[in-house]
Amino acid sequence: NGVAFSHSDCRLLASGSDDQRVLLWEAFEHRAHQRPVKEFTGHTSNVFDVRWATGNTQLYSAGNDGQILRYDVEGGSSPVGRYLHDDAVHKISLQPENSDVFVSASHDFTLKLWDARASDRA
């Protein structure tokens, strides 16, 4: 399970959990029955990690299903990018100056370096 504040203003909080969803929340809204402002889908098992891209326009998630999913925060709920491992992906880290470049750590005993601008994603 993972949580991450958006960069700069920290206005939004992303969460990923065992219910296979990635949710966006207003971080400083204090209501008794607060609901997420957005829901992203695509994972078929637990979500272990979430990370914001620089500029808060994209969000990455990693899960037990071996997928890293990239979402357009202003777009729909489905992923705009999908990157695969052979087993659960526990952690992802985005390059601070260029969020298109990231690394993932998997239970398949591999680290993979990715570039979201490349056409091949495996």
Side-chain angles (χ1 to χ4, degrees):
N1 304 84
V3 294
F5 278 107
S6 57
H7 299 288
S8 301
D9 62 2
C10 298
R11 185 179 63 84
L12 294 173
L13 181 70
S15 67
S17 66
D18 294 347
D19 65 6
Q20 305 172 12
R21 299 181 302 160
V22 174
L23 303 174
L24 290 187
W25 306 86
E26 289 287 345
F28 300 106
E29 184 127 339
H30 302 295
R31 291 182 293 170
H33 300 287
Q34 185 174 350
R35 297 191 186 279
V37 296
K38 189 151 193 175
E39 177 180 333
F40 297 104
T41 60
H43 282 288
T44 58
S45 190
N46 311 40
V47 178
F48 291 147
D49 199 11
V50 291
R51 299 287 173 191
W52 287 92
T54 305
N56 299 327
T57 59
Q58 295 189 334
L59 186 64
Y60 291 78
S61 63
N64 191 47
D65 55 8
Q67 298 186 97
I68 300 133
L69 301 179
R70 181 171 48 98
Y71 302 99
D72 178 354
V73 174
E74 298 298 322
S77 64
S78 298
V80 297
R82 187 179 315 267
Y83 313 89
L84 303 176
H85 273 272
D86 292 330
D87 206 339
V89 182
H90 293 281
K91 292 290 182 189
I92 48 179
S93 180
L94 282 59
Q95 205 272 345
E97 287 82 33
N98 183 352
S99 301
D100 289 325
V101 177
F102 61 99
V103 66
S104 56
S106 172
H107 197 72
D108 64 11
F109 303 104
T110 64
L111 292 174
K112 290 188 179 183
L113 181 63
W114 304 92
D115 188 333
R117 301 165 296 187
S119 60
D120 60 324
R121 296 184 181 143

